[in-house]
Amino acid sequence: MSTATELLTAIKDVGTDPARGGYSRHGFDTSELELREWFTAEAGKRGLEVEVDRNGNIWAWWGTPGPDALVTGSHLDSVPGGGAFDGPLGVVSSLAAVDVLQAKGFQPSRPLALMVFAEEEGGRFGVPCLGSRLLSGATPADVALNLKDNAGNTFADAVKAAGLDPSRIGKDSEALSRIGRFVELHVEQGRALIDLDAPVAVATSILAHGRWRFRFTGEGNHAGATPMGIRRDPMLPASQLILSARWAASSVDGARATVGRIVPTPGGTNVIASAVDVWLDARAPNDGRTRSVVERITAAATQAARDEGCELTVTEESYGDTVHFDASLRDELSEILGTVPALPTGAGHDAGILAAHVPTAMLFVRNPTGISHAPEEHAEPDDCEAGVEALAKVLEKLAAE
Ligand code: HGY
Ligand code: MN
Ligand code: MN
């Protein structure tokens, strides 16, 4: 029997990132493959039958795989320089919850599966929740297979190297049909549980959110030999995009817009860039507001590109409308757990993708720093155990029905 903290400690040295701090564990890279092996071994120790579906999502079955299963789980990959809890806390908590239930001799009366989804953060191939999007058909196979990482490897290359068949990537209706209900435990990515002084909450909704790539093209040239008046420097409209993200989102209630990734070509200190790629992450409480923020930013970027004699192409790389979790399942969890807070979240999750297909709920565990997607992300051992206890209660009740 292991606690969540003990299980997290077992993987604490996998995928550490000395340059950025925190962890860089990305879809099918060495560290994530090591974590997959670790999870598979831990599931085996608990007598769970492990299989990997055609899209690289792991399913660890307690009982014979079958329809109307109760499924829980999360992801093991991280953002670049991410924290230790975003994803892994949900995975280790599902293992620890199985320990709690097996220790009391519980036997599920329906199939129960623990899942690890592939490439949830999109940290390598750019599309978040890629494993659950492929499983559900939200992302077509051909789009996914041609996604490239920074080194130019395609998703097809990566899944092939991981032992999967690229020709089988794509919507998996049979696997999806096995899921009766899905519950994901996740570290809270915010401060609500600090302010409410509570260790665990249930989720109500996820902001509508998407990612857009803005490519500015100008004229590469010499930094010293090119007079200022004849430049077509794509860095100028790129900087306007970054500034407009701040004012556009700040003027729309509940909206957020972020530029965290910018890649100039060729990227030399003494070189005027010939092109600049800028990725925008925009989110808001509904589709209309999200779209209006992106429109304002795009208008400002388009004007700035024109003023600098640059070209601009904008590509929507992913988008998901507001997620409202299943109210009756959420209420059932609240009933099982007693009065726990019900919180919205600004963070996307595989549970958000599955919510369009099956009744889905989430549990959040207090994060005393309120910070996520950074090394400061944290959850105290006692709160982790409160999360395991909550998840075990939920699994016991829902798997007994
Ligand atoms: O970006 C998100 O909200 C999630 O962490 N993938
Ligand atoms: Mn995340
Ligand atoms: Mn996550």
Side-chain angles (χ1 to χ4, degrees):
M1 183 147 169
S2 304
T3 65
T5 303
E6 285 163 349
L7 291 165
L8 282 171
T9 305
I11 58 173
K12 70 177 175 49
D13 298 326
V14 180
T16 52
D17 187 330
R20 297 184 177 105
Y23 293 92
S24 292
R25 301 157 165 170
H26 304 312
F28 303 107
D29 74 2
T30 319
S31 59
E32 204 245 358
L33 290 173
E34 189 180 337
L35 290 175
R36 284 169 168 263
E37 273 178 39
W38 171 83
F39 172 79
T40 302
E42 287 297 323
K45 286 181 199 167
R46 291 160 175 83
L48 308 183
E49 185 190 325
V50 179
E51 62 183 25
V52 180
D53 69 21
R54 66 176 68 168
N55 295 301
N57 303 304
I58 305 174
W59 302 63
W61 289 94
W62 184 358
T64 317
D68 207 18
L70 173 60
V71 180
T72 185
S74 194
H75 59 96
L76 291 169
D77 66 303
S78 73
V79 294
F85 298 84
D86 176 352
L89 182 63
V91 173
V92 301
S93 298
S94 67
L95 291 167
V98 165
D99 287 348
V100 167
L101 295 176
Q102 288 184 344
K104 59 193 294 189
F106 174 77
Q107 274 300 330
S109 51
R110 67 173 61 242
L112 195 156
L114 279 55
M115 284 195 74
V116 173
F117 289 95
E119 181 72 346
E120 190 276 343
E121 296 290 3
R124 181 175 176 190
F125 293 102
V127 172
C129 301
L130 191 53
S132 53
R133 285 176 189 270
L134 282 167
L135 169 67
S136 61
T139 295
D142 59 325
V143 168
L145 289 168
N146 292 308
L147 291 172
K148 285 192 176 159
D149 65 11
N150 293 337
N153 305 298
T154 63
F155 182 67
D157 299 329
V159 298
K160 195 168 177 190
L164 296 169
D165 176 356
S167 69
R168 298 194 63 237
I169 292 287
K171 186 172 180 175
D172 191 342
S173 305
E174 194 272 327
L176 187 63
S177 70
R178 287 173 168 177
I179 307 177
R181 289 182 286 189
F182 178 76
V183 179
E184 177 171 1
L185 181 144
H186 205 282
V187 64
E188 187 199 349
Q189 295 163 298
R191 301 186 47 81
L193 287 175
I194 302 168
D195 301 338
L196 292 166
D197 191 20
V200 172
V202 292
T204 54
S205 62
I206 296 178
L207 290 180
H209 65 284
R211 299 180 184 187
W212 290 262
R213 190 191 71 203
F214 287 68
R215 172 162 289 173
F216 298 94
T217 310
E219 183 176 69
N221 208 328
H222 192 294
T226 312
M228 297 311 284
I230 61 165
R231 294 181 178 210
R232 292 192 298 115
D233 182 351
M235 279 293 201
L236 273 294
S239 53
Q240 181 55 48
L241 165 59
I242 295 167
L243 293 169
S244 63
R246 171 58 66 93
W247 57 252
S250 304
S251 63
V252 172
D253 190 22
R256 292 99 197 250
T258 311
V259 171
R261 184 177 165 216
I262 176 167
V263 178
T265 298
T269 303
N270 56 352
V271 179
I272 302 169
S274 54
V276 181
D277 281 329
V278 187
W279 281 266
L280 173 69
D281 176 311
R283 314 187 188 207
N286 61 43
D287 180 64
R289 285 191 225 167
T290 308
R291 297 285 180 193
S292 84
V293 168
V294 176
E295 278 158 22
R296 294 181 192 190
I297 294 168
T298 304
T302 304
Q303 185 56 51
R306 194 175 300 126
D307 295 348
E308 184 66 20
C310 292
E311 300 297 315
L312 168 60
T313 52
V314 184
T315 310
E316 179 173 291
E317 292 194 338
S318 66
Y319 183 74
D321 203 345
T322 315
V323 171
H324 298 286
F325 288 112
D326 184 276
S328 60
L329 183 55
R330 184 198 64 216
D331 294 346
E332 192 170 354
L333 264 62
S334 298
E335 212 178 295
I336 296 165
L337 300 176
T339 46
V340 290
L343 302 176
T345 180
H349 301 281
D350 293 301
I353 302 299
L354 294 182
H357 302 275
V358 294
T360 300
M362 287 192 76
L363 290 171
F364 292 136
V365 172
R366 177 167 42 194
N367 171 348
T369 68
I371 293 172
S372 184
H373 285 187
E376 293 76 15
E377 180 183 273
H378 188 63
E380 293 295 338
D382 287 354
D383 286 348
C384 292
E385 290 324 299
V388 169
E389 206 181 296
L391 183 60
K393 275 185 191 163
V394 165
L395 297 180
E396 183 176 22
K397 176 75 169 50
L398 299 185
E401 286 171 350

